[in-house]
Each structure stands twice: as C-alpha cells, then as structure tokens.
Amino acid sequence: MSPNGDAFLLDPNTPPGPSRYAHARIAPASAHRTIYVSGIAAVTPDGKLEGATQNADGTWNLDIKEQTAAVLRRIDAIISGASNGKGGIHNVIDSVVYLTDMKSHYAGMNEEWNKVFTDRVGAPARATVGVQELPDPRFIVEVKVVAVVDFE
C-alpha cells in the first residue's frame, strides 16, 4: 500500500491515457474507510462522452443533465467497485461540482443531483464552482467526492 492508501481503478485493463490519476483512493483505517474519488467527467471506460453529440457542421450539442447523470452513475460505480460492493453514491459525504457555465448549467445539474440525493438529510456537503474550462472542451461538468464506507 502507498502512504496515501490503496488506489482504485474502475477498469484497470484500460490503457493509460495522458493523465495519471486513480479513480479513487482508499485511505487506511479501521472498519470505516474513506474513499477519495478524483474529478470525474461523463466519459465511459471505453472513451465515449455521454451528453455530447456532434452536429453535421462539426459543432457539439452539450447536455448538462445527461452529463451530470452520467457523472453520478460513474461515481456510484467507482465507489461500489472500490468498496467491493459495500458502498455507493449514497456514501458520499463531501463533493465539489465544477461547471463551465454557472448561469446556464447550474439548474440542470442541480435537477439531476436532486434525483439522486432526494433530501438534505442524505445529501453530501457540496460546493459548486464555476470554472473557465475543464480538460476537454466538451466537458461541462466534473464532480469530485469523498465517501465513507463501512467495510465490515
């Protein structure tokens, strides 16, 4: 184990890309373990970007609701995989949402978020930050979370 815990990769057989990061870090602890999930965009393990369709003229239609839903599904899969099925999206205790256009995208992101986290009692702490850009110009939302899972 590294000094910063165990790394988790959703699909360890995927060839490494230009960026090197674990999908999650599992911190050493007792029965409860903390899982630190890297910033996740709406990209499937095979490289397909959800919520982005290319028009005939080469421009892109980017859908904040589709991208947000895809990101939350991917985070759920990462936490489930990192915890051997003992946790998921509802174990998230803290989150940071990055949006490239706060005015246009906040409401749609929040609508999808609220479908997953249906009440304040179960929802994680959250910060939402407007950013100038994300690593790919088709990414309009990225989410980073911390989850706590009981491994016993």
Side-chain angles (χ1 to χ4, degrees):
M1 176 186 332
S2 288
N4 63 342
D6 295 323
F8 173 78
L9 299 174
L10 187 57
D11 184 359
N13 297 320
T14 300
S19 299
R20 291 189 177 92
Y21 63 90
H23 288 119
R25 300 262 8 132
I26 305 171
S30 60
H32 288 88
R33 301 203 54 200
T34 306
I35 301 173
Y36 300 87
V37 180
S38 297
I40 300 299
V43 180
T44 64
D46 63 358
K48 180 183 177 234
L49 179 61
E50 295 182 75
T53 54
Q54 192 167 23
N55 299 316
D57 66 359
T59 61
W60 289 89
N61 287 325
L62 305 174
D63 187 307
I64 188 62
K65 290 180 184 181
E66 286 184 37
Q67 285 199 21
T68 301
V71 167
L72 295 175
R73 282 192 309 272
R74 183 99 191 270
I75 289 171
D76 184 56
I78 290 167
I79 295 169
S80 179
S83 66
N84 294 317
K86 295 184 181 195
I89 193 83
H90 293 288
N91 291 89
V92 172
I93 61 168
D94 187 42
S95 58
V96 180
V97 177
Y98 301 96
L99 296 174
T100 58
D101 186 339
M102 190 72 79
K103 284 183 181 181
S104 299
H105 297 148
Y106 183 83
M109 176 279 299
N110 206 48
E111 183 178 328
E112 293 303 312
W113 184 273
N114 291 338
K115 289 178 183 176
V116 173
F117 300 105
T118 57
D119 61 41
R120 289 183 181 177
V121 174
R126 182 180 87 187
T128 304
V129 180
V131 296
Q132 184 174 345
E133 62 185 341
L134 291 167
D136 183 306
R138 298 169 299 167
F139 296 172
I140 54 177
V141 60
E142 181 175 297
V143 180
K144 178 178 178 22
V145 304
V146 177
V148 174
V149 177
D150 184 351
F151 272 61
E152 288 190 344

